[in-house]
Amino acid sequence: MSSRFYFLLFLPFCNLIQDASLAELRAAEPTLKAGAAAVDITPPVGSSLDGVISKNGPVTGIHDRIFSRALVLDDGQERFAICVNDLCMVERSYFDRAKEIVFKKTGLPVNRILMSSTHTHAAPRVPYGRAGKIDDEYYETLVQQIAQAIIQAQENLRPARVGWGSFDAGRYAACRRFLAEKGSVSLNPFGIAGEQIKSVAGRSKSVIRPAADIDPQCSILSIQHADGTPLAILGNMSIHYCGGYKKGQISADYFGAYAKYLSEKLSAGKTHPPFVGMLSNGTSGNVGAVMKQDKKKYAAFEWIEESGKQFAEQSLKVIDKMDHKNKLKLAMIEQEFALNVRRPDAERLAWAQDILANPQQKISHRWAKTYATEAVALSKYPETESIKIQAIQIGDLGIVGLPCEVFTETGLAIKAESPFDATFSMELANGSSGYLPTPEQHALGGYETWPARSSYLEVEAETQIRNTAIKLLRKLHD
């Protein structure tokens, strides 16, 4: 036989060997990519801080600058973004506009973007604190800046590997609502008796115990470049904020101090984009400020810096023991539905109008006038509000995005029912639909349940939101 015949006979085997080699090479190549970026979103002096009930007034100075921090993950089949913003809260329409900009400029679908606020009270509450033109101009710029953080993160996509873990931070957290004896709690702002919660706005000398458990877990998502160089860290802790500000001063609170400390400790090197640290807020609607670990009297912002450092140091210890992987499944889904709004009835509206028309009259609660104003504002709300719940899969890690200030009971229930090995929730995600007490906590009363722009969804809203989040996690896992 000719040599040409043998060559033709052998050619298919060569092709098989080549195909097998290519398959092996592809299998050996990292399939995961990640990118991160941070964009400065600090408002100008004169802009409005916070808003609605606390009304913290205008910005008079900047203690530390605030940022929009974004993380983009891509496994070759799925791509999504997580964006954490140093803001008190953001109305959904502003996040939606930022997502549309990202989609138009990059093609990343809006249903593959989770945007959240940290709930620092030393930053704007968009747009609820609005006082004039300077705020409107800032909000317009803000929408562009939030979008830009994600756009830059996508431009920074590099081969990466991911790990996750957690540590117990329970000593920093405490429920700020206390169950009290029946009949012992003062009248609420509407002049109604019978509540059982002592809190920031309800008085009682007959406290039984904290009204709910805390979530002690600080969850950590670590992202590294393929060579092991730090790329980004996303932390998540269920504590309301730290506080200890100076009035009028902008600050990212301990969320920003955490990110700053990590950035100082972890260099991405000259061959990689800058490292990005971020800390998101978990389910902390009924949790107080970061608890001090000593009896020292701290100056303004001092405990913010110290607590951020302590959380960052503990995060780094966890990361040192993590198993980072460059191949894992990514997925993201969301569901939107409408919930009823607790608008005032005719009797409540008449009460509010009387309070506001006769400001010198004796009132049952020091906040009665505030809640009268809130009742009038709520009367102009639509009957329903559309909200969005999101779920993300990163291998055996599940992440949920919830649009409210969520109570710890809800976060703990989602973790308990989640099919994933590890799960955490990010509150104030994709909107700011007020406090989300459980039906049981609604029955007990307290500031977080009183109808206002800070708490207006129907009493059964928590049940529907929690069940939807668990359903989405299970759908991802199946």
Side-chain angles (χ1 to χ4, degrees):
M1 295 182 183
S2 68
S3 58
R4 175 177 173 77
F5 174 80
Y6 284 111
F7 172 76
L8 292 174
L9 187 66
F10 187 62
L11 187 59
F13 294 101
C14 292
N15 290 335
L16 285 172
I17 292 170
Q18 185 179 38
D19 290 344
S21 298
L22 285 172
E24 288 174 5
L25 283 171
R26 286 173 183 149
E29 290 174 356
T31 58
L32 183 70
K33 289 184 178 181
V39 171
D40 194 323
I41 59 171
T42 308
V45 170
S47 303
S48 296
L49 274 173
D50 216 325
V52 189
I53 290 176
S54 51
K55 293 183 174 67
N56 283 334
V59 176
T60 58
I62 299 166
H63 175 267
D64 58 281
R65 305 190 73 82
I66 60 176
F67 291 84
S68 176
R69 299 177 173 92
L71 169 67
V72 175
L73 293 173
D74 187 321
D75 67 354
Q77 300 294 323
E78 178 73 282
R79 177 181 293 185
F80 58 73
I82 297 173
C83 182
V84 180
N85 300 276
D86 292 328
L87 295 162
C88 185
M89 58 181 68
V90 178
E91 183 185 84
R92 176 177 170 175
S93 63
Y94 292 84
F95 277 153
D96 284 350
R97 286 172 56 198
K99 291 180 183 182
E100 285 292 342
I101 293 171
V102 174
F103 171 67
K104 288 177 181 178
K105 292 190 175 181
T106 71
L108 182 65
V110 296
N111 64 358
R112 294 297 185 271
I113 303 172
L114 185 159
M115 292 179 173
S116 72
S117 304
T118 61
H119 202 52
T120 168
H121 277 236
R125 185 184 300 214
V126 183
Y128 309 105
R130 181 189 176 278
K133 183 180 178 182
I134 191 171
D135 292 320
D136 292 336
E137 291 175 347
Y138 171 65
Y139 300 154
E140 289 303 309
T141 301
L142 177 66
V143 168
Q144 299 288 334
Q145 291 169 329
I146 292 173
Q148 188 59 33
I150 296 176
I151 293 168
Q152 287 185 14
Q154 288 197 84
E155 292 172 352
N156 290 338
L157 280 170
R158 302 287 192 278
R161 58 188 197 179
V162 171
W164 55 87
S166 65
F167 64 88
D168 189 328
R171 66 184 183 276
Y172 295 97
C175 181
R176 69 179 188 179
R177 288 165 52 88
F178 295 89
L179 182 66
E181 297 284 354
K182 289 183 178 180
S184 71
V185 179
S186 54
L187 298 178
N188 68 21
F190 314 108
I192 299 172
E195 295 193 351
Q196 281 189 263
I197 293 295
K198 176 186 180 298
S199 66
V200 65
R203 297 169 180 168
S204 173
K205 294 182 179 180
S206 302
V207 170
I208 301 171
R209 62 178 181 273
D213 292 331
I214 61 162
D215 183 349
Q217 187 178 47
C218 183
S219 299
I220 308 296
L221 174 64
S222 171
I223 304 94
Q224 298 179 343
H225 290 280
D227 62 6
T229 303
L231 189 156
I233 292 173
L234 170 61
N236 179 269
M237 184 64 205
S238 296
I239 294 181
H240 212 75
Y241 50 54
C242 182
Y245 317 126
K246 258 186 187 176
K247 186 176 177 64
Q249 295 285 304
I250 281 286
S251 174
D253 203 288
Y254 87 116
F255 309 98
Y258 175 90
K260 178 185 174 184
Y261 186 82
L262 288 176
S263 294
E264 291 172 349
K265 289 291 182 180
L266 303 175
S267 171
K270 296 181 180 180
T271 59
H272 298 299
F275 167 85
V276 177
M278 56 188 86
L279 180 63
S280 59
N281 207 332
T283 51
S284 64
N286 55 346
V287 177
V290 180
M291 293 180 65
K292 297 179 179 66
Q293 302 302 294
D294 53 38
K295 295 182 180 180
K296 176 182 174 181
K297 187 173 182 180
Y298 289 86
F301 301 105
E302 188 179 3
W303 176 234
I304 285 175
E305 297 294 334
E306 177 59 27
S307 61
K309 175 184 175 183
Q310 290 183 20
F311 272 76
E313 287 177 338
Q314 292 174 81
S315 298
L316 292 175
K317 290 179 181 178
V318 173
I319 291 168
D320 282 343
K321 300 176 183 178
M322 280 184 189
D323 178 22
H324 289 77
K325 301 177 181 179
N326 61 15
K327 286 187 179 181
L328 38 74
K329 181 183 177 183
L330 301 180
M332 181 174 182
I333 53 175
E334 63 179 40
Q335 184 172 332
E336 191 165 338
F337 56 94
L339 291 168
N340 293 324
V341 172
R342 289 186 292 151
R343 299 196 303 176
D345 58 18
E347 183 179 354
R348 177 61 57 81
L349 196 54
W351 166 84
Q353 291 167 341
D354 178 63
I355 289 285
L356 296 175
N358 301 282
Q360 303 305 317
Q361 67 178 290
K362 185 177 180 180
I363 55 178
S364 58
H365 192 285
R366 68 189 187 280
W367 288 1
K369 293 176 184 177
T370 297
Y371 276 87
T373 301
E374 290 301 307
V376 172
L378 271 187
S379 70
K380 300 173 184 177
Y381 269 41
E383 293 184 357
T384 63
E385 178 163 300
S386 181
I387 66 160
K388 181 181 291 185
I389 309 299
Q390 294 177 322
I392 288 173
Q393 176 183 6
I394 304 174
D396 291 325
L397 171 67
I399 301 174
V400 170
L402 308 172
C404 305
E405 291 188 66
V406 185
F407 279 27
T408 51
E409 297 100 309
T410 304
L412 291 169
I414 291 172
K415 286 183 178 182
E417 295 293 325
S418 172
F420 290 95
D421 290 345
T423 303
F424 65 82
S425 300
M426 297 172 66
E427 71 171 22
L428 292 172
N430 309 301
S432 52
S433 297
Y435 283 107
L436 188 70
T438 64
E440 294 77 14
Q441 293 291 340
H442 265 292
L444 295 173
Y447 153 72
E448 297 89 350
T449 72
W450 297 337
R453 284 172 289 182
S454 58
S455 180
Y456 58 86
L457 294 179
E458 60 179 285
V459 172
E460 293 297 326
E462 185 275 341
T463 304
Q464 298 182 59
I465 288 173
R466 170 171 40 84
N467 288 340
T468 299
I470 293 169
K471 181 187 74 175
L472 293 179
L473 287 170
R474 288 174 176 167
K475 187 174 181 180
L476 285 178
H477 194 265
D478 289 344

